[in-house]
Amino acid sequence: MGLRGEAAILGYFELPPERKLTREKTFNLEQWARLSKAALDDAGLDASDVNGIVTPQIGEADMFVPSTITEYLGIDANFAEIVDLGGAGSAAAVWRAAAAVELGLCDAVLVTFPGTHDVPTHERRPFVMNDKMYFGASSNAYGSPQAEFEIPYGNLGQNGPYGQIAKRYGHEFGYDERAMAKIAVDQRTNACATPGAVFHGKPITIEDVLASPMVADPLHMLEIVMPCQGGAAVVIGSLELAKKSRNRPVWIKGFGERVPYKTPTYAKDLMYSPMVHAADQAFTMAGIDRKDVDMVSIYDCYSITVLMSLEDAGFAEKGKGMQFVNAHDLTFRGDFPMNTAGGQLSFGQAGIAGGMHHVIDGARQIMGRAGEAQVADCNRAFVTGNGGIMSEQTALIFQGE
Amino acid sequence: MSTTYTPPVLERPMPVPTPLTRPFWDALTEHKIRIQYSPSVGEYIFYPRPLAPGTLADDLEWREISGAGSLYTYTISTRPVAPHFANEGTLVLAVVQWDEGPKFSTELINVAAEDIQVGMRLKPVYCDYPEAGITMLRYEPES
C-alpha cells in the first residue's frame, strides 16, 4: 500500500505573510493564477505541463470550484479536486496530487492555496459578514450538531477548544509552561533567520511569552497564531518533469491521514490525536525511521498542537513532550530542527495557506534554499497538517534524492 | 452615492431543536436528562443521532440519566468567543463527562476560577429560557 515515491515537489512559491494587507486586493481566483504561475516559474515548468489541480474552497464559488479554476487558468485537468480539511488541507492536497501523478493521471499538478481573504469589494457588492465569519470553523447551520450543542455554550472557534486540550493535558501529564513557551521562542529564532516572516527581526524570550495575555487558559497570546494575509503554491510533477525542473526534486515518499471527529468534545480520547495513525502510516509507507528525519515541520496553530504532534508522531514519548522540548534545541541550528522558517506562530498564518507553510518549509530545506536558516545536509523532512481542532490530521515524508 | 452601515444586533445563539433531537430538549424543560442508548453497542450516545455511531445499529432508545458527572476539561475565556457573546463576560467553557460515559459541552457556573479542578464532581443546573422555549444545561460543583 502506498506511494512509490515517484512524484516530487518541483517548485514552490510562498507570499510573505502580512498582518494587514499592503498589496493590491485581488480575488481568490486571481491569487490562484498568480501563485500558480510563480510556482511554475520556480520549478522551471510551463503551464502546458499542468494537467491537474487541487484546491481549497475559494471565495468566488460555493460549488464547482475545481472547474471554475481550470477554466480561469485555461488548463485541461485530468484530475481536479477540492480538499476540505482545514489546516490539514495543504498536506492532504500534496499526497492527493502525488497519487494522481503516480497513477499516471497527471504530469504535473498545481496545489495552490490563496491566503489573502481581504478581497475587492464594490458598493454594489459590499462585504457581508455571515455566520462563517462569525463562527469560524464552527457551523451554525440549523441541524448542525455544533449549532445545537456547542455554540450556545460558547464552545466555538479555536482558542477555547485548544485551551481545553491543553488543560486536560496538564491534568493527565503535568504542565511546564516554560517548555510550552520555549516552542514559541525557538520558532521565533527561526523566523529571525527567515526574511519575509512577519516577526523577522523580533526575537522573544520565555518571559515574553509568559507575560503575554492569557487568551484561553493555559494558552498565552504568543502561543497562538495570528491571522495574516498571504498565499502559497507548490507544483508536483512526475519523474520525467523532475528531470526538466531546475530544482532538486523533493520526493513524496509517504503519507498518512486520519479524520475521526470535528469537535474535541466527542474525541474518544482527546490526549491521543489522529496524528498517531497518520504518522505511523507515513513512516511505514516511506520505510524510514523517526531518527532518519533531518528536520520536521509541525503544524503549529498553538503551542499545544506542536507538543502533542511531537508525541503522537513518535518523536517524544507520550506525556514527556515537555521534557523533550526542554532537552532539544528546536532551532534550525539545533539538534532537532523544527519549523525552521518560524512556523505559523512566527512566520505567520495566511489563512487556509497556513498549512502550506509547513509543506514549503520542508521542501525549501531539502532543496537547500533556506538561506541563513538552512539545516546542513538536509535530505529528509517530516511535515504535518492539522485541521479542525486536532481533528483532521495529515503527515507527509519528503526525501531529496 | 453614500452608504450607511448599521452594525447588526447579535444575540447569543440559542439551541434550536430538530425533530430528531426534540426528546432531549423536551426532557430538559422538565428538568430531566434523557439521552440515547444503544443496547447492541452497550453504550450511551451523545449527541442524538438516527443510528448508533460506529455500528450504525438501528436500536437507539431514549433513557433518563441523572446528569451527574465529572469535569473532563475546561478553559476560562476572558474575551468574547464571538461578537454574539460580547456581553457575557468571562465564560468557563467546560466539557463534562457523564457517569454513563458520553461527554457534554457546557459551562461551569457558581464556581470561582481557583476552585476549578479537572476531575471534580459536578451536578446539573437547569437554566430555563421560556421565551426561547429552551432549557439549557449548565453545571456547578456537587457540594
Side-chain angles (χ1 to χ4, degrees):
Chain A
M1 186 270 291
L3 297 170
R4 298 187 300 273
E6 295 174 359
I9 296 173
L10 302 178
Y12 62 77
F13 180 76
E14 185 172 29
L15 272 173
E18 293 182 335
R19 292 284 283 124
K20 192 169 172 13
L21 189 67
T22 63
R23 293 181 277 258
E24 183 192 2
K25 288 185 183 183
T26 55
F27 293 103
N28 289 176
L29 273 170
E30 297 168 2
Q31 295 171 43
W32 226 103
R34 293 193 184 282
L35 292 165
S36 299
K37 170 62 173 164
L40 283 168
D41 285 349
D42 183 66
L45 298 177
D46 301 322
S48 56
D49 293 320
V50 177
N51 43 18
I53 68 156
V54 192
T55 181
Q57 288 161 339
I58 61 171
E60 293 82 34
D62 291 330
M63 294 176 67
F64 310 112
V65 170
S67 60
T68 301
I69 291 168
T70 57
E71 176 190 282
Y72 202 82
L73 270 56
I75 282 170
D76 298 336
N78 306 326
F79 174 73
E81 198 190 6
I82 182 166
V83 285
D84 177 17
L85 290 171
S90 296
V94 164
W95 79 251
R96 283 161 174 78
V101 167
E102 286 202 3
L103 283 169
L105 297 174
C106 303
D107 302 295
V109 180
L110 278 170
V111 176
T112 301
F113 277 53
T116 302
H117 40 88
D118 196 355
V119 298
T121 54
H122 186 277
E123 62 187 20
R124 298 208 320 265
R125 304 302 297 267
F127 176 75
V128 178
M129 282 294 284
N130 57 24
D131 268 12
K132 196 172 161 186
M133 288 157 187
Y134 285 127
F135 297 105
S138 303
S139 167
N140 197 39
Y142 182 44
S144 150
Q146 289 193 305
E148 194 171 347
F149 300 108
E150 303 283 335
I151 290 174
Y153 292 102
N155 193 356
L156 59 93
Q158 284 74 237
N159 292 338
Y162 275 101
Q164 291 177 335
I165 292 173
K167 190 63 91 172
R168 179 72 194 183
Y169 186 98
H171 173 74
E172 291 204 21
F173 305 113
Y175 202 82
D176 174 358
E177 64 175 9
R178 295 185 67 83
M180 297 296 279
K182 181 175 179 291
I183 292 171
V185 170
D186 283 0
Q187 292 192 192
R188 184 63 67 89
T189 301
N190 293 340
C192 287
T194 305
V198 285
F199 289 126
H200 183 69
K202 294 177 181 156
I204 51 170
T205 64
I206 287 174
E207 283 65 35
D208 291 333
V209 178
L210 299 183
S212 67
M214 189 72 89
V215 172
D217 179 30
L219 299 173
H220 301 82
M221 186 174 283
L222 288 178
E223 299 176 73
I224 300 174
V225 283
M226 66 272 113
C228 292
Q229 314 266 344
V234 298
V235 189
I236 289 157
S238 63
L239 282 165
E240 290 69 31
L241 285 183
K243 292 171 195 153
K244 195 173 141 187
S245 170
R246 64 161 67 107
N247 296 314
R248 183 192 192 198
V250 176
W251 302 105
I252 300 141
K253 301 292 282 189
F255 71 86
E257 195 163 282
R258 190 84 140 187
V259 185
Y261 58 85
K262 182 173 185 191
T263 306
T265 308
Y266 311 111
K268 288 195 182 78
D269 186 342
L270 196 51
M271 293 297 99
Y272 291 83
S273 74
M275 188 51 63
V276 174
H277 169 90
D280 269 343
Q281 180 183 312
F283 278 108
T284 301
M285 189 185 294
I288 67 166
D289 295 330
R290 270 73 173 170
K291 63 178 167 45
D292 296 330
V293 166
D294 299 313
M295 68 84 70
V296 301
S297 199
I298 306 292
Y299 196 96
D300 63 330
C301 45
Y302 295 81
S303 56
I304 186 67
T305 315
V306 176
L307 185 91
M308 288 183 57
S309 297
L310 286 173
E311 294 180 353
D312 292 346
F315 292 102
E317 191 184 330
K318 191 72 210 176
K320 304 273 202 258
M322 299 194 187
Q323 290 95 315
F324 181 88
V325 167
N326 281 330
H328 293 279
D329 180 346
L330 309 176
T331 70
F332 65 92
R333 54 174 90 89
D335 58 327
F336 191 84
M338 181 182 84
N339 297 349
T340 57
Q344 297 177 78
L345 285 171
S346 276
F347 183 80
Q349 181 181 53
I352 196 69
M356 193 72 93
H357 175 68
H358 300 282
V359 170
I360 292 177
D361 186 19
R364 187 190 286 119
Q365 286 286 351
I366 288 175
M367 288 185 186
R369 299 164 61 190
E372 188 192 335
Q374 182 65 45
V375 172
D377 197 25
C378 188
N379 299 300
R380 285 169 171 165
F382 176 77
V383 169
T384 72
N386 167 72
I389 314 289
M390 306 281 279
S391 49
E392 306 168 324
Q393 295 190 321
T394 305
L396 299 171
I397 291 170
F398 297 160
Q399 185 165 304
E401 55 204 40
Chain B
M1 176 179 143
S2 68
T3 56
T4 57
Y5 177 73
T6 308
V9 176
L10 299 170
E11 293 177 0
R12 182 173 175 149
M14 294 296 285
V16 183
T18 73
L20 189 143
T21 64
R22 174 59 75 182
F24 173 76
W25 296 107
D26 285 351
L28 279 189
T29 60
E30 300 164 22
H31 293 197
K32 291 175 181 168
I33 301 171
R34 207 152 46 218
I35 64 173
Q36 291 175 307
Y37 179 81
S38 166
S40 65
V41 178
E43 289 178 7
Y44 284 86
I45 307 299
F46 191 81
Y47 41 83
R49 274 163 258 214
L51 302 171
T55 65
L56 301 185
D58 189 9
D59 66 350
L60 290 171
E61 54 191 49
W62 291 94
R63 290 192 185 179
E64 188 175 335
I65 62 171
S66 75
S70 54
L71 182 60
Y72 182 77
T73 192
Y74 72 101
T75 190
I76 297 170
S77 178
T78 53
R79 53 196 71 201
V81 295
H84 310 69
F85 293 81
N87 299 321
E88 299 293 328
T90 297
L91 300 180
V92 184
L93 310 176
V95 177
V96 172
Q97 183 157 31
W98 283 317
D99 291 346
E100 290 80 4
K103 299 191 195 88
F104 181 70
S105 182
T106 184
E107 287 161 83
L108 286 194
I109 57 174
N110 305 326
V111 63
E114 58 270 23
D115 294 334
I116 304 173
Q117 291 287 331
V118 172
M120 72 194 297
R121 295 294 298 166
L122 300 169
K123 64 180 180 189
V125 181
Y126 299 94
C127 305
D128 296 325
Y129 298 89
E131 67 286 358
I134 278 290
T135 296
M136 287 181 67
L137 178 57
R138 295 190 173 89
Y139 273 81
E140 66 181 2
E142 198 168 63
S143 53

